[in-house]
Amino acid sequence: APERFVSKLSHGYAPALIADYASKISADLLVLGSRRQSGIAAALLGSVSSHLVAESRIDLLLVPLSD
């Protein structure tokens, strides 16, 4: 039976690693936590979720995280 949930630890550029792995396993949906960043941190760092929203071909579900 196919795995329904997957947890994996990797090192590298997170958006690319997540997108590549999701494609490799033919994922239908990515579920990600999302925090609001503001100011310089948002401009310089961005976020994994914002990069995946812009670049992913797989459906995303963003879950807001409380601080």
Side-chain angles (χ1 to χ4, degrees):
E3 294 179 3
R4 300 193 85 175
F5 301 96
V6 176
S7 176
K8 182 175 174 149
L9 177 62
S10 298
H11 296 280
Y13 181 61
L17 291 169
I18 292 168
D20 290 346
Y21 187 71
S23 292
K24 178 181 174 183
I25 65 168
S26 300
D28 296 320
L29 177 69
L30 294 174
V31 179
L32 300 168
S34 177
R35 291 183 292 141
R36 294 276 178 180
Q37 293 183 5
S38 61
I40 294 174
L44 295 177
L45 301 176
S47 71
V48 171
S49 59
S50 65
H51 286 278
L52 285 167
V53 165
E55 300 174 14
S56 180
R57 295 183 194 150
I58 298 169
D59 291 335
L60 298 172
L61 174 61
L62 298 179
V63 179
L65 301 175
S66 59
D67 291 328

